[in-house]
Amino acid sequence: MLKVITALLISIIVAIPTTVTANTIEIEHPWSKAVPPTSNVAAAFLSIINHSNTDDTLIAARSPIAESAELHILNNGNGLMQMRKVDTINIAAEHQQQLAPGGFHVMLFNLTEVPIIDSHFPLTLTFKHAGEITVNVAVKPATYSGEHHDIAHDIAHDITHDDSHALQHH
């Protein structure tokens, strides 16, 4: 029986989508780098695509694996790389905003569970207009960069608007 349950859990994890769409915001390729077992912090990265003709704003994030989550940016201040908290991240109409190493990202503090390679953890993003979107973040090796998942910065094709508030999985 245990083997059957294990096989079912593995098939569910393998079937977890890497793209989630709610209303007009699409989240692609959510991922995190594995951290040491004693780590108290982790970071999450992803692409946010706004298929609307209206700007939206990421205003918060949370995950059950951390006591708190904050929006952050890493930038170059007078030759020094500095990470700082930001209150919001703007997602311009019909554009994408990349949350990636070296730029915007979600910091998870006071981990209650340390994510391990090849596992997933939930991350809920709160947007000013689109509301809450929960994604499953894939945990990758510390050397992973995510660069092969870059997408076009301008989404200027015909856009289908979905007025429902239900999540759609691709």
Side-chain angles (χ1 to χ4, degrees):
M1 183 67 167
L2 184 58
K3 288 181 181 180
V4 171
I5 292 171
T6 302
L8 285 172
L9 288 174
I10 289 171
S11 66
I12 289 170
I13 289 171
V14 170
I16 293 174
T18 59
T19 302
V20 176
T21 303
N23 299 324
T24 57
I25 293 290
E26 180 180 355
I27 308 298
E28 283 197 345
H29 192 57
W31 64 281
S32 178
K33 291 183 178 188
V35 295
T38 57
S39 183
N40 203 26
V41 298
F45 311 101
L46 47 96
S47 294
I48 304 170
I49 306 167
N50 185 349
H51 291 286
S52 169
N53 59 3
T54 304
D55 291 353
D56 206 339
T57 306
L58 178 60
I59 58 175
R62 70 178 187 278
S63 177
I65 71 158
E67 289 181 11
S68 65
E70 297 178 356
L71 308 178
H72 278 233
I73 189 167
L74 185 67
N75 57 14
N76 190 336
N78 297 325
L80 297 173
M81 294 306 288
Q82 300 173 333
M83 183 174 68
R84 65 180 175 86
K85 179 182 176 186
V86 295
D87 293 328
T88 62
I89 299 173
N90 187 54
I91 301 89
E94 299 181 0
H95 282 77
Q96 73 106 36
Q97 179 61 261
Q98 188 75 23
L99 277 62
F104 287 114
H105 57 280
V106 176
M107 284 299 300
L108 303 168
F109 293 102
N110 300 321
L111 296 176
T112 57
E113 176 185 329
V114 178
I116 58 172
I117 294 174
D118 295 330
S119 68
H120 290 82
F121 63 87
L123 177 67
T124 300
L125 305 169
T126 305
F127 294 88
K128 182 177 180 179
H129 300 295
E132 290 188 345
I133 301 173
T134 298
V135 296
N136 288 301
V137 178
V139 182
K140 303 293 186 179
T143 56
Y144 185 78
S145 69
E147 290 179 9
H148 65 283
H149 287 280
D150 287 343
I151 57 175
H153 290 276
D154 188 10
I155 315 294
H157 57 282
D158 291 333
I159 298 171
T160 303
H161 296 281
D162 178 4
D163 294 327
S164 72
H165 290 284
L167 291 181
Q168 297 176 356
H169 297 281
H170 293 279

